[in-house]
Amino acid sequence: QVQLVESGGGLVQAGGSLRLSCAASGRIFSINVMAWYRQAPGKQRELVAALISGGRTNYADSVKGRFTISRDNAKNTVYLEMNSLKTEDTAVYYCNVRALSSPNLNSASDYWGQGTQVTVSS
């Protein structure tokens, strides 16, 4: 089993910055993807940024150039640096890890953090 603990959310004015962190622990054999999703009230959860095991990154068009995803392999921690925040960035942000918890499994599973609220005021 894999556990994810995320932190770093809070209240910030438009134009400000926040850094989210997500630490993975537990029974981890390999990690394929680490990513951040967000969900605003009344909307579906959407992918914000993803980091693939080979180093490739993907960003939603709405955050490209403002957000940066990175990881610390030694700590199994993924970060989301958010700059030039806008009111439309307000949402609950969820960390996602796609990983194998055992070499006996033939496919990876998705694990989710508890969510952290990001509120951007004008």
Side-chain angles (χ1 to χ4, degrees):
Q1 292 298 119
V2 177
Q3 296 83 43
L4 306 179
V5 178
E6 56 184 286
S7 61
L11 307 176
V12 65
Q13 292 186 10
S17 299
L18 284 175
R19 189 194 194 200
L20 306 183
S21 300
C22 176
S25 63
R27 212 174 191 88
I28 303 173
F29 178 70
S30 64
I31 295 176
N32 300 119
V33 180
M34 303 187 85
W36 290 94
Y37 288 75
R38 68 185 180 187
Q39 186 167 24
K43 294 186 176 181
Q44 294 184 340
R45 187 173 300 184
E46 65 174 350
L47 176 68
V48 177
L51 194 157
I52 314 302
S53 60
R56 181 172 61 88
T57 57
N58 294 111
Y59 296 94
D61 288 341
S62 60
V63 307
K64 198 169 296 182
R66 299 188 297 119
F67 291 10
T68 302
I69 187 171
S70 62
R71 69 179 288 179
D72 184 333
N73 295 119
K75 298 180 179 179
N76 274 339
T77 299
V78 62
Y79 305 94
L80 185 67
E81 179 71 32
M82 304 184 293
N83 299 312
S84 301
L85 283 162
K86 305 174 180 179
T87 55
E88 49 262 46
D89 295 318
T90 296
V92 177
Y93 284 70
Y94 296 92
C95 175
N96 168 259
V97 172
R98 181 167 294 176
L100 286 170
S101 60
S102 169
N104 296 319
L105 299 174
N106 62 358
S107 63
S109 297
D110 283 320
Y111 301 90
W112 294 91
Q114 79 279 9
T116 184
Q117 177 71 48
V118 172
T119 302
V120 184
S121 65
S122 60

